Amino acid sequence: VAPPPVIHYNLNNVTISANPVQNKENVLILTPMARFYQGYWDNLLQLTYPHELITLGFILPKNKEGNAATTELQKQIAKTQKSGPEKDRFKSIIILRQDFDPPLPSQDEGERHKMQNQRGRRAAMAKARNSLLFTTLGPSTSWVLWLDADIVETPRTLIQDLARHDKPLTAPNCFQRYYNTDSKKMDERPYDFNNWQDSPTAQEIASKMGPDDILLEGYAELATYRALMAYMYKEGEDIHQEVPLDGVGGTALLVKADVHRDGAMFPAFSFYHLIETEGFAKMAKRLGWQATGLPNYKVYHYNE
Ligand code: GDP
Ligand code: MN
């Protein structure tokens, strides 16, 4: 039997450009998924980036909820990849089940966001993201789009719109629709507070922390006075306005694959007193890659 052929990839031939469609650049969409939302899948299907250039990667926890989500996800995948229209079909799809224990207990939005629950959650999420990234990033991947499983609404041109900025890390602004009981109308509010610009106060707090302590954003108990992109949205202004960011969230984030190939990942430990996606932005920066935010470019998180 002949030995398998050696496959050569010249990374210099893989472009990562502002015109990814023209250059036929491969995009890896990575989603950690605790619950399956039909809105996420429907939104994914309507993305106009050529699906034959998109690989999907999922990681789901090994618990009851994760099992249910996996079943639902596989059902939708079968529909799209086998019986659905050809143009909807993705290049390939990879599903991982989390292999570390214990899985996070399932928590509702309020419980998840309690400060004392955050450290463990964020560390587990970091490991899940790293497992997903390191098992799926390929030699021909140009872009990685991190997209949480509860992002249910984005512009159809999301990938092209973010890539057009040609930045190492590009974060849109994540909002949430809700029913406003005062105005008795549907309304929207900022959701992802992990996209921020650093402040002297946060630096000061961090300088007095122990080596393993982490700074969290969005908690009144720990006022950091960082400038949050969530509050920089201005109605009617240019959706392509850019701001520099020091911390990023993972709800939706486009990353040049070279940033990850250089070694930037999601620390599950205190890295400059930052963890997970915020630690990732810091690590990217230490490697020479600056994060950019688009305060007026909105995507929407599911409302539980
Ligand atoms: P939040 O919106 O910041 O409160 O965070 P989420 O709980 O929505 O988690 C972020 C993303 O990770 C979502 O896509 C979740 O479905 C997913 N997720 C949450 N917990 C786990 C977990 O234990 N394992 C995996 N693999 N994914 C998870
Ligand atoms: Mn979420």
Side-chain angles (χ1 to χ4, degrees):
V1 192
V6 175
I7 305 172
H8 292 271
Y9 288 95
N10 187 345
L11 288 179
N12 293 328
N13 294 342
V14 176
T15 62
I16 307 180
S17 71
N19 297 307
V21 177
Q22 263 161 279
N23 293 322
K24 297 197 167 48
E25 292 170 6
N26 288 296
V27 178
L28 176 62
I29 301 185
L30 295 182
T31 300
M33 179 178 278
R35 297 174 190 177
F36 177 86
Y37 292 113
Q38 191 60 43
Y40 162 86
W41 188 257
D42 293 344
N43 184 70
L44 193 67
L45 282 189
Q46 56 89 55
L47 293 180
T48 59
Y49 198 84
H51 288 198
E52 74 262 18
L53 295 173
I54 296 179
T55 294
L56 306 177
F58 299 93
I59 186 164
L60 300 96
K62 269 191 187 159
N63 55 22
K64 201 170 157 218
E65 209 176 39
N67 294 345
T70 306
T71 304
E72 198 50 46
L73 176 63
Q74 277 171 321
K75 220 189 290 173
Q76 297 301 323
I77 289 174
K79 211 155 81 179
T80 303
Q81 299 296 92
K82 294 197 184 108
S83 51
E86 204 139 326
K87 66 154 188 43
D88 279 357
R89 299 182 195 169
F90 297 99
K91 182 179 184 180
S92 58
I93 302 180
I94 300 150
I95 300 179
L96 301 181
R97 300 303 301 274
Q98 234 160 271
D99 63 354
F100 44 89
D101 290 317
L104 288 177
S106 163
Q107 291 168 331
D108 63 24
E109 195 177 305
E111 196 59 30
R112 274 198 325 262
H113 292 175
K114 278 187 191 156
M115 204 166 159
Q116 70 270 23
N117 289 333
Q118 275 289 305
R119 190 198 176 86
R121 283 201 66 79
R122 298 291 301 272
M125 283 308 306
K127 289 186 192 172
R129 289 187 193 281
N130 289 332
S131 296
L132 182 56
L133 174 64
F134 291 125
T135 51
T136 57
L137 187 73
S140 60
T141 311
S142 291
W143 300 90
V144 177
L145 176 67
W146 290 95
L147 191 65
D148 275 356
D150 42 24
I151 295 302
V152 291
E153 189 185 334
T154 71
R156 300 188 67 185
T157 48
L158 176 72
I159 295 170
Q160 298 93 314
D161 293 346
L162 300 184
R164 170 183 140 166
H165 289 264
D166 203 15
K167 299 290 188 197
L169 290 78
T170 307
N173 213 351
C174 181
F175 274 60
Q176 182 179 52
R177 297 192 190 280
Y178 73 105
Y179 182 74
N180 186 326
T181 47
D182 295 330
S183 68
K184 304 217 167 20
K185 274 193 210 130
M186 283 309 288
D187 203 344
E188 52 182 61
R189 60 190 168 207
Y191 185 85
D192 193 340
F193 297 113
N194 293 336
N195 295 305
W196 46 256
Q197 297 172 334
D198 213 352
S199 70
T201 306
Q203 287 295 306
E204 170 87 16
I205 301 172
S207 73
K208 292 176 183 149
M209 283 181 148
D212 291 334
D213 293 339
I214 55 165
L215 252 177
L216 295 166
E217 192 47 65
Y219 295 89
E221 313 87 292
L222 196 80
T224 61
Y225 300 99
R226 287 164 174 161
L228 307 185
M229 180 165 80
Y231 298 131
M232 294 178 193
Y233 169 73
K234 289 207 185 76
E235 194 172 348
E237 303 227 336
D238 180 14
I239 58 166
H240 286 291
Q241 190 210 327
E242 298 176 355
V243 298
L245 295 176
D246 299 303
V248 299
T251 48
L253 178 70
L254 187 71
V255 181
K256 288 191 176 182
D258 280 352
V259 175
H260 287 310
R261 277 195 279 265
D262 274 359
M265 47 67 143
F266 301 91
F269 48 85
S270 165
F271 179 74
Y272 289 80
H273 305 290
L274 302 171
I275 197 167
E276 206 218 350
T277 55
E278 296 164 288
F280 166 59
K282 183 69 178 180
M283 201 178 291
K285 190 153 186 166
R286 294 291 286 115
L287 287 161
W289 305 104
Q290 167 71 47
T292 300
L294 308 181
N296 300 325
Y297 193 98
K298 288 193 284 195
V299 301
Y300 293 90
H301 189 279
Y302 184 81
N303 189 347
E304 292 172 31

